């Protein structure tokens, strides 16, 4: 018998590497990128109840997140319900409660991850196979990053191509060290960042590791790159200002997460990560950025899964 209630963690992601190619006729860009799901996560609860699909959004990062039909969670739930019904399954109402911790417009894939969690939860409640090819295709329609969260849930690490929806899972990544993640008050709009993309490219291999994993934190640090960095700065001058400030206080440490505005850096251990945050907080300009979040996380990929 199927469960009646499911709770999932819907992780944030960042792109360890992000190589971009040309703009396609459909307006999207071809990419080749290693996505890593993080320990930082939203929480989604889903329970079979009544006839309707309903969504409540709460939590520390809930401000400004819609709970109406425009939320990707409800759009994913509706799509899965229709798919289940088309397979002759009894697809009743579901009550969804989304607890937001991952900031929006931050380059962390929060909305896409929530949609993937909703798709997985609804599929399980309705008795649909979560690895159904039609489910994956439906989810990819909702956002370029959605497919990653579902297809790479076992390890939280994958090399993605196409517009992001072609997902080749990689073994889980775990290294000694700490990942410092910062999200300033301002956000970056992904479509504006892509629209500002010029010809500049790092021209580097997205994952040069034989056997799938870097042997050390130093090896991982050497391969990080993100072809969206300059476009994000051009389209969002406040980001250029923010990144210049980070570069002055911690030279060579921070990269842009996805299309921004979050930035991340790798430190030798948690104590070094905390010391770095303390140094940023003491600086006069640091206080101006009114961070939406500052985290010191393990260097460990962790996919969508039970909460
Ligand atoms: O798919 P998603 O809705 O997340 O994409 C947001 C915007 O980012 C798209 O409208 C497009 O402008 C841009 N994008 C792109 N190429 C990709 C992914 C996103 O141009 N591979």
């Amino acid at each position: 018998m199927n469960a009646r209630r499911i709770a999932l963690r819907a992780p944030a992601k960042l792109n360890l590497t992000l190589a971009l190619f040309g703009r396609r006729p459909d307006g999207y860009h071809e990419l080749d990128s290693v996505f890593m799901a993080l320990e930082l996560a939203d929480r989604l609860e889903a329970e079979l109840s009544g006839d309707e699909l309903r969504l409540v959004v709460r939590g520390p990062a809930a401000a400004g997140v819609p709970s109406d039909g425009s939320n990707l969670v409800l759009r994913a739930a509706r799509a899965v319900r229709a798919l289940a019904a088309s397979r002759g399954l009894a697809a009743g109402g579901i009550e969804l409660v989304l607890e937001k911790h991952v900031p929006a417009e931050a380059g962390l894939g929060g909305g896409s991850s929530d949609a993937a969690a909703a798709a997985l939860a609804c599929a399980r409640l309705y008795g649909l196979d979560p690895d159904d090819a039609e489910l994956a295709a439906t989810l990819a329609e909702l956002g370029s990053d959605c497919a990653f969260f579902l297809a790479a849930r076992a390890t939280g690490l994958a090399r993605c191509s196409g517009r992001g929806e072609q997902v080749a899972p990689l073994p889980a990544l775990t290294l000694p060290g700490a990942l410092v993640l910062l999200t300033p008050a301002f956000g970056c709009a992904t479509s504006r960042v892509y629209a500002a993309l010029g010809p500049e490219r790092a021209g580097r291999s997205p994952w040069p590791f034989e056997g799938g994993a870097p042997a050390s934190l130093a090896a991982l640090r050497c391969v990080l790159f993100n072809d969206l960095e300059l476009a994000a700065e051009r389209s969002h001058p406040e980001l250029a200002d923010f990144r210049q400030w980070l570069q002055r206080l911690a030279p060579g440490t921070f990269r842009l997460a996805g299309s921004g505005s979050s930035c991340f850096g790798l430190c030798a251990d948690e104590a070094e990560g905390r010391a770095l945050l303390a140094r940023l907080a003491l600086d006069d300009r640091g206080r101006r950025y009114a961070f939406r979040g500052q985290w010191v996380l393990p260097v460990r990929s962790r996919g969508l899964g039970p909460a």
Side-chain angles (χ1 to χ4, degrees), residues 2 7 64 68 71 99 107 133 136-137 147 158 162 171 190 213 228 249 270 291 294:
N2 303 327
D68 62 12
N71 191 302
E99 193 180 287
T190 306
L228 282 178
L249 267 85
E270 193 183 330
F291 292 99
Q294 304 182 345

Side-chain angles (χ1 to χ4, degrees), residues 27-29 31 143-144 163 190-191 194:
Y28 286 91
H29 292 77
L31 57 76
S144 305
R163 60 180 255 247
T190 306
S191 52
Y194 272 99

Side-chain angles (χ1 to χ4, degrees), residues 15 33 59 84 88 93 115 131 134 152 154 156 166 172 199 205 225 238:
N15 303 75
S33 173
D131 296 311
E134 210 172 319
Q166 289 166 31
S205 164
F225 73 93
E238 62 276 48

Side-chain angles (χ1 to χ4, degrees), residues 186-272:
F186 61 86
C188 289
T190 306
S191 52
R192 261 175 68 200
V193 172
Y194 272 99
L197 192 64
E200 69 277 342
R201 300 288 187 272
R204 292 172 51 185
S205 164
W207 206 239
F209 303 111
E210 297 280 336
S216 67
L217 198 70
L220 176 60
R221 213 186 255 132
C222 285
V223 301
L224 302 177
F225 73 93
N226 181 345
D227 277 348
L228 282 178
E229 279 176 347
L230 292 178
E233 290 188 353
R234 267 201 299 273
S235 54
H236 296 77
E238 62 276 48
L239 180 74
D241 194 57
F242 178 58
R243 288 193 6 107
Q244 256 172 34
W245 173 71
L246 287 177
Q247 177 62 12
R248 182 165 57 75
L249 267 85
T253 303
F254 285 96
R255 301 231 72 106
L256 191 69
S259 54
S261 60
S262 305
C263 293
F264 73 98
L266 298 173
C267 292
D269 55 29
E270 193 183 330
E272 192 182 305

Side-chain angles (χ1 to χ4, degrees), residues 34-285:
V34 173
F35 282 60
M36 176 184 178
L38 305 176
E39 204 70 36
L40 170 67
D42 292 335
R43 180 188 160 92
L44 181 77
E45 275 183 33
E47 184 168 12
L48 285 172
S49 144
D51 300 320
E52 307 289 313
L53 297 173
R54 286 179 308 276
L55 172 65
V56 174
V57 183
R58 62 183 190 209
V65 178
S67 57
D68 62 12
S70 67
N71 191 302
L72 283 184
V73 164
L74 274 181
R75 292 174 59 194
R78 267 201 231 113
V80 175
R81 187 189 204 188
L83 184 61
S86 77
R87 302 274 166 83
L89 296 164
I94 295 181
E95 174 119 27
L96 296 144
V97 179
L98 175 63
E99 193 180 287
K100 286 294 299 174
H101 297 270
V102 180
E105 289 207 329
L108 300 175
S112 303
S113 184
D114 298 340
L120 179 60
C122 295
R124 291 239 164 95
L125 292 175
Y126 291 147
L128 256 184
D129 174 8
D131 296 311
D132 186 298
E134 210 172 319
L135 179 72
T138 305
L139 193 57
E141 285 300 304
L142 294 178
S144 305
D145 297 343
C146 293
F148 158 73
F149 289 104
L150 187 65
R153 65 189 184 279
T155 65
L157 196 76
R159 186 159 170 178
C160 300
S161 56
R163 60 180 255 247
E165 87 290 5
Q166 289 166 31
V167 183
L170 289 165
L173 176 72
T174 305
L175 287 169
L179 193 155
V180 175
L181 182 66
L182 301 171
T183 307
F186 61 86
C188 289
T190 306
S191 52
R192 261 175 68 200
V193 172
Y194 272 99
L197 192 64
E200 69 277 342
R201 300 288 187 272
R204 292 172 51 185
S205 164
W207 206 239
F209 303 111
E210 297 280 336
S216 67
L217 198 70
L220 176 60
R221 213 186 255 132
C222 285
V223 301
L224 302 177
F225 73 93
N226 181 345
D227 277 348
L228 282 178
E229 279 176 347
L230 292 178
E233 290 188 353
R234 267 201 299 273
S235 54
H236 296 77
E238 62 276 48
L239 180 74
D241 194 57
F242 178 58
R243 288 193 6 107
Q244 256 172 34
W245 173 71
L246 287 177
Q247 177 62 12
R248 182 165 57 75
L249 267 85
T253 303
F254 285 96
R255 301 231 72 106
L256 191 69
S259 54
S261 60
S262 305
C263 293
F264 73 98
L266 298 173
C267 292
D269 55 29
E270 193 183 330
E272 192 182 305
R274 300 237 163 257
L276 177 56
L277 286 187
R279 197 144 46 85
L280 299 178
L282 279 177
D283 189 83
D284 270 354
R285 278 183 64 197

